[in-house]
Amino acid sequence: MTGVVNLETRQAIQQFLDGNFTSLESLGLVEELLKEEERTHAQLEREVEEACDAAKTVSAEATNIANSVHEQAMGLIDVHSQLVESAGNESSWEFRDGTEVMELVSALAAELQKHQKLRQAKQYIDAFIAVKQISEQAERSLERDGQGVLSAYGSAVALLANEQEEPGATISSAQHLHEYAKETVREIWTSAERAASDKQSESLHKMGWPGRVEPSAADLQQFGSSFAVLAGLDRIARDAYDILERNGIAQHSRDEAPLALQHMARQVDIRMRYHFESARGTSRADRPEWWLGQILGMVRSLVPLLELHVQRLHDGSGLGELDVRNEFIRLVLPIVQRKLVRDRPAYIDNGLVVAQVVRELNEFERTLQEVYFYDGAGVLDDLLRDNDVFGAWVDAERSAAMEAYVEDSAQPDAFVQLYEDSMVDADHPKPSRIAHRAVQLVVGIADRYAAVPSCMRRLQMLSTAQFPVMIALIEDVEMQLDEFSRVSLAFLRDATDGTTSATQSPIVVRLQRLATWYQTAWYVEDAVRDWNDQAMYVDMWAAVCRHAAGSADPRDWRDSCDDWDESDRRVLDDTDGSVDDKWLDGGIWERTVTTLNGLKQRALQLMVQAVCKDVVGQLRAFRKKSSWASQGFDTDISPELSSLLPELAQLVGLLSSLLPFVAAVHVLRSLAAEIDTFVVDRVATAHSFNACGGQQLAIDVDCIERILLSSASGSALRTSSGRVLAKAVECTRVLACPLDDSEQVGDMALALYEWAPVILDKAADDAEAAALVRKLGICHLGVGQVRQLVRCRVDFIASYDNQSA
């Protein structure tokens, strides 16, 4: 915006205010200062009147001298004309020699030269008088006749234009007169512009601006007359721009905003400088809402006047079509830009302030666009193009986020569950404190840079400020899992580090820790998956794919992020560019999701290992049972299981409460498979049984199976046969099978003597043996395992061997 604020005027105002109002107490001197200024103003007016009188006297004397010279010149011209006429009437001149002829010619040449000088002097004086009269006309019309001022300005410009069109003209050939004419044009422009702008400002104040504008008819008339003068000056300056430019006095170009709008914007500028670009307490870089709200308020109060009156005045001014509301906003934005430049050092010193400035600027520009339909360029993008300012913001965001994360992760309860179990459903993640904090930090950063229009800047913020938080969390969880795998898993049932209560076993404490890490990874993974589908991150991923353009894996975008320049910015910010469809199913957080899911599965697998190792460890007594070939059996479980089953029941219930349904099913299935294999390999096929021992084992297996089925996930543990420990159950069927028909067969279709010889017969066909096993309802054990179980039946194998022998 050119010419909105006069530098000398601004400095004078600033010096006056700073010199006289240094404190609140000095405001009491306002009346005295006003009186003093009035006396000074009166003195200056008297001096101006005296100077005007002296100028008029000198002008009158100059005019008299010019008229006298003019009369003498006219007399000489008449003499010269008579001489020429008399010389023309002589038919012949006779001289004794050429001396007299030459003397006559010389005399005539001297007279001609004198005539030309006198004529030029007359033209000079005429031009001087014309310029002086134009200046006096402008001075007389300045206060009361705006059209007279415009007429004087137009005449002065026309005088310059006419002289420019005539080679050797008086003004253009006389340097001092030429400068005087140009200075007159400048003075008329300056005086007329100042007077009209002062009247315009006065009328605005009368209307109530910068508050609510409520114009009266008189106010609108005064405003209209001052607008007409400014518009007239504008029109003349634009039409004669080439002439004025050649003379070095172009005051207003064709591309500039109308003068009237410039001076209206100047009123905003004056208040902006007074309140927000000075040493006052309101001038704070960390309070952008103060000055942006003030500017928006001033624009809001002027918009009705612009739409209802100024637009009509402009349309009738002959300056061409223009949306005055839109143009006025465009004139105000450089004021915003200047304020941002002034506060730039503060932004670099405290980068977090930039986030607030960006948010407020975005809201400011959005209001201008949506409420006042402004369709021009804003200033937010220019602010973010400043690498130093944006870099300070990014560094501050990263430092603040990492400092907060490190502080919270160092707390003893960092991986403690944030909410009670009753507050969160089992199928929803239960975040630890550090997981919740990490997500908050990332979301907070995203909320602050969501207003950034450039995809490249968003990606740089994501890479530099957000990813480090996720990386730190992932590394912390990995470190915890590594430590657990290295130490805790190896000494699962040893004394803990003092965090175990008297009512909790070590395995419970360790499972809770593993579940917390699992829930941490799960919670953050769910959050990251949600981010991946958000519009902002989808746009960022599309920009990355567009930038890769099929030549590279877009997931590697961070490798070159620090080297991006303006050419990369154009590609990344080009929302109309093509995107390789094969990558669109991914996302900007895809690798983070994969990593977190891997951590979650690793924690789950460690839980499987811990549970299986603990349960198998407690089954050692069951494995070492002295005899399974007793003469009778008790309906109660084996004493060797009495200590295991309560803990197993506790573990099953704990897993169902710590883990979501699918994860709990996975762990319990793995535990069931481990118990199933243990019973088959370490108990059923490793000991000698009779039918009573087999029935006892069946009772024990059934009891274990009921405990596994008692959990909320129990129904999902059943195999196709409807059992949890399918192999162990089938082992008990073989080991408890009656010897012959004299005993109750139970759930076996045949007695042992009826089918076991076929299984033990080495000459029997394997297919026939397998068919027999399937006929008996044994689907999960192989023929070899069944044969081995039969040989464990000491009550059968001894008689069978004797018969075979």
Side-chain angles (χ1 to χ4, degrees):
M1 181 176 63
T2 303
V4 173
V5 179
N6 183 282
L7 180 59
E8 295 180 356
T9 303
R10 184 181 75 245
Q11 291 176 345
I13 294 173
Q14 187 66 47
Q15 291 174 359
F16 177 80
L17 293 174
D18 292 342
N20 293 282
F21 300 102
T22 58
S23 63
L24 292 175
E25 291 75 8
S26 60
L27 294 176
L29 303 176
V30 171
E31 184 176 357
E32 181 180 347
L33 288 172
L34 287 175
K35 291 180 179 180
E36 181 179 349
E37 290 300 322
E38 289 175 356
R39 290 194 295 270
T40 303
H41 182 68
Q43 178 65 26
L44 291 175
E45 286 185 344
R46 287 193 297 272
E47 292 178 358
V48 169
E49 291 177 358
E50 292 174 359
C52 289
D53 293 339
K56 290 179 181 179
T57 301
V58 173
S59 177
E61 292 176 355
T63 301
N64 293 333
I65 295 172
N67 291 333
S68 175
V69 172
H70 180 265
E71 291 175 0
Q72 294 178 11
M74 294 302 297
L76 292 173
I77 291 172
D78 291 340
V79 172
H80 176 268
S81 298
Q82 292 174 5
L83 290 173
V84 172
E85 182 179 356
S86 62
N89 293 333
E90 295 293 336
S91 59
S92 63
W93 291 44
E94 299 202 4
F95 298 93
R96 289 189 297 260
D97 52 30
T99 302
E100 296 179 356
V101 174
M102 294 305 296
E103 290 177 354
L104 179 60
V105 170
S106 297
L108 290 175
E111 291 296 329
L112 180 60
Q113 186 176 10
K114 185 184 297 185
H115 166 70
Q116 291 175 345
K117 289 181 179 181
L118 289 173
R119 186 162 62 91
Q120 289 177 355
K122 179 181 179 299
Q123 291 175 346
Y124 184 96
I125 293 172
D126 289 341
F128 176 81
I129 292 173
V131 173
K132 185 63 178 177
Q133 289 174 346
I134 291 172
S135 177
E136 291 176 350
Q137 178 189 355
E139 184 178 353
R140 289 192 303 272
S141 305
L142 191 60
E143 294 296 330
R144 64 181 185 277
D145 184 10
Q147 295 303 317
V149 174
L150 293 178
S151 175
Y153 181 68
S155 299
V157 172
L159 187 61
L160 282 179
N162 293 334
E163 294 296 334
Q164 288 286 333
E165 294 172 359
E166 299 177 8
T170 302
I171 292 181
S172 58
S173 59
Q175 182 64 29
H176 295 292
L177 183 58
H178 184 64
E179 291 297 328
Y180 176 63
K182 292 197 298 183
E183 186 61 29
T184 300
V185 172
R186 289 193 192 96
E187 289 179 355
I188 295 175
W189 168 277
T190 302
S191 301
E193 182 186 13
R194 182 187 300 114
S197 64
D198 289 345
K199 290 181 180 179
Q200 180 178 272
S201 300
E202 181 183 352
S203 63
L204 284 176
H205 290 306
K206 289 180 179 179
M207 295 178 193
W209 192 83
R212 182 178 179 182
V213 175
E214 296 180 346
S216 64
D219 297 336
L220 290 177
Q221 182 178 3
Q222 181 180 354
F223 180 87
S225 62
S226 61
F227 186 96
V229 173
L230 292 172
L233 290 173
D234 203 347
R235 184 176 59 254
I236 295 171
R238 292 187 185 196
D239 293 343
Y241 178 75
D242 294 336
I243 299 297
L244 296 173
E245 185 181 32
R246 282 198 297 270
N247 285 275
I249 54 173
Q251 288 110 346
H252 201 66
S253 69
R254 298 185 179 96
D255 299 329
E256 286 188 66
L259 279 175
L261 293 181
Q262 286 193 23
H263 285 289
M264 292 178 73
R266 181 186 177 189
Q267 301 303 311
V268 177
D269 183 82
I270 290 173
R271 284 158 180 79
M272 184 68 185
R273 290 179 184 273
Y274 180 82
H275 292 290
F276 303 107
E277 296 181 35
S278 63
R280 289 171 176 79
T282 52
S283 180
R284 293 179 56 178
D286 61 340
R287 288 290 183 268
E289 65 275 13
W290 288 359
W291 57 272
L292 286 172
Q294 183 75 7
I295 291 177
L296 198 59
M298 288 187 282
V299 171
R300 185 185 300 113
S301 64
L302 274 179
V303 163
L305 181 68
L306 292 169
E307 293 176 338
L308 297 176
H309 301 287
V310 179
Q311 185 68 59
R312 176 176 53 81
L313 292 173
H314 177 82
D315 292 342
S317 65
L319 293 176
E321 295 183 0
L322 182 70
D323 183 346
V324 296
R325 179 192 57 223
N326 199 70
E327 185 66 13
F328 177 75
I329 294 174
R330 187 185 69 81
L331 291 172
V332 168
L333 288 181
I335 303 173
V336 177
Q337 183 73 46
R338 188 188 66 234
K339 171 64 174 173
L340 295 174
V341 172
R342 184 179 187 275
D343 291 340
R344 183 177 181 271
Y347 300 155
I348 295 176
D349 290 341
N350 184 5
L352 292 179
V353 174
V354 182
Q356 187 177 0
V357 174
V358 168
R359 182 180 67 251
E360 295 296 335
L361 266 180
N362 180 68
E363 184 66 22
F364 174 77
E365 292 185 354
R366 188 182 65 82
T367 301
L368 294 181
Q369 294 165 359
E370 296 180 1
V371 178
Y372 303 113
F373 307 103
Y374 175 66
D375 58 2
V379 298
L380 176 57
D381 195 51
D382 291 336
L383 173 67
L384 295 174
R385 284 179 184 271
D386 189 325
N387 291 327
D388 293 336
V389 171
F390 185 77
W393 181 19
V394 173
D395 292 342
E397 289 284 3
R398 181 186 63 247
S399 299
M402 291 306 300
E403 182 178 349
Y405 177 84
V406 170
E407 180 181 353
D408 289 345
S409 63
Q411 300 299 319
D413 61 349
F415 283 96
V416 173
Q417 184 174 305
L418 186 61
Y419 306 116
E420 297 293 335
D421 292 339
S422 59
M423 298 177 62
V424 182
D425 185 78
D427 290 329
H428 292 85
K430 304 167 185 175
S432 62
R433 294 182 183 276
I434 193 62
H436 186 261
R437 182 57 170 156
V439 170
Q440 277 187 326
L441 290 171
V442 173
V443 171
I445 295 172
D447 289 343
R448 286 189 288 276
Y449 76 74
V452 174
S454 169
C455 265
M456 186 184 84
R457 290 306 197 195
R458 290 181 181 180
L459 287 165
Q460 289 172 335
M461 185 70 79
L462 171 66
S463 174
T464 309
Q466 290 178 288
F467 277 168
V469 177
M470 288 290 100
I471 292 171
L473 176 69
I474 290 170
E475 289 177 347
D476 283 348
V477 176
E478 283 181 336
M479 182 181 67
Q480 297 285 348
L481 294 175
D482 290 342
E483 184 68 15
F484 182 90
S485 179
R486 184 176 63 87
V487 178
S488 297
L489 196 60
F491 305 98
L492 194 60
R493 299 194 69 82
D494 290 352
T496 62
D497 54 4
T499 58
T500 305
S501 66
T503 60
Q504 288 183 320
S505 65
I507 182 62
V508 171
V509 175
R510 284 168 169 77
L511 285 179
Q512 288 174 340
R513 290 172 59 193
L514 285 168
T516 301
W517 299 329
Y518 176 89
Q519 295 281 358
T520 295
W522 182 22
Y523 176 79
V524 179
E525 180 193 6
D526 268 14
V528 173
R529 288 185 186 276
D530 290 342
W531 299 340
N532 227 18
D533 295 332
Q534 291 177 5
M536 182 178 74
Y537 292 114
V538 170
D539 292 341
M540 292 162 69
W541 177 244
V544 168
C545 294
R546 184 166 57 248
H547 184 263
S551 60
D553 188 339
R555 293 173 297 184
D556 297 329
W557 64 272
R558 290 190 69 202
D559 297 342
S560 59
C561 177
D562 294 337
D563 300 325
W564 284 345
D565 54 19
E566 190 60 30
S567 61
D568 298 295
R569 179 192 181 98
R570 286 193 293 270
V571 176
L572 289 164
D573 293 352
D574 180 16
T575 56
D576 297 327
S578 60
V579 180
D580 191 347
D581 293 342
K582 73 177 182 178
W583 293 110
L584 289 182
D585 291 337
I588 204 73
W589 292 97
E590 179 181 354
R591 288 184 171 173
T592 307
V593 170
T594 302
T595 302
L596 288 167
N597 185 65
L599 286 178
K600 187 175 68 173
Q601 298 306 320
R602 185 183 175 192
L604 196 63
Q605 189 58 35
L606 285 174
M607 295 182 75
V608 170
Q609 295 178 25
V611 170
C612 291
K613 185 174 182 179
D614 182 77
V615 172
V616 169
Q618 295 188 69
L619 284 172
R620 290 173 183 169
F622 188 60
R623 175 176 64 87
K624 294 179 179 180
K625 186 175 181 178
S626 58
S627 175
W628 288 95
S630 59
Q631 295 302 317
F633 72 94
D634 195 349
T635 56
D636 292 334
I637 61 172
S638 299
E640 291 79 4
L641 289 180
S642 59
S643 62
L644 167 66
L645 295 182
E647 287 200 22
L648 180 61
Q650 182 184 13
L651 285 178
V652 170
L654 181 65
L655 289 171
S656 297
S657 64
L658 291 178
L659 298 174
F661 179 82
V662 174
V665 167
H666 173 76
V667 175
L668 290 175
R669 277 182 178 173
S670 301
L671 176 60
E674 187 71 20
I675 295 175
D676 204 17
T677 302
F678 180 88
V679 171
V680 173
D681 296 343
R682 308 298 292 277
V683 179
T685 60
H687 292 80
S688 297
F689 287 83
N690 59 13
C692 291
Q695 291 175 0
Q696 182 64 54
L697 180 62
I699 292 174
D700 295 341
V701 169
D702 183 67
C703 186
I704 295 173
E705 194 174 48
R706 284 200 308 272
I707 291 176
L708 292 175
L709 289 171
S710 66
S711 69
S713 311
S715 59
L717 300 179
R718 297 182 183 274
T719 62
S720 58
S721 63
R723 307 306 296 261
V724 178
L725 305 176
K727 292 181 180 181
V729 170
E730 290 181 355
C731 285
T732 63
R733 293 179 63 194
V734 173
L735 295 175
C737 182
L739 293 175
D740 52 34
D741 293 339
S742 63
E743 301 179 21
Q744 186 177 356
V745 176
D747 59 352
M748 291 291 285
L750 300 173
L752 193 60
Y753 275 114
E754 293 178 320
W755 60 271
V758 178
I759 298 298
L760 295 176
D761 187 3
K762 297 179 180 180
D765 182 55
D766 289 342
E768 181 182 354
L772 177 60
V773 168
R774 299 294 176 267
K775 184 178 180 181
L776 293 172
I778 299 174
C779 302
H780 298 86
L781 295 175
V783 174
Q785 289 176 311
V786 174
R787 185 178 295 119
Q788 188 177 6
L789 289 169
V790 170
R791 290 190 177 279
C792 291
R793 285 290 299 270
V794 294
D795 55 346
F796 166 78
I797 198 63
S799 60
Y800 174 77
D801 288 342
N802 291 334
Q803 292 176 3
S804 299

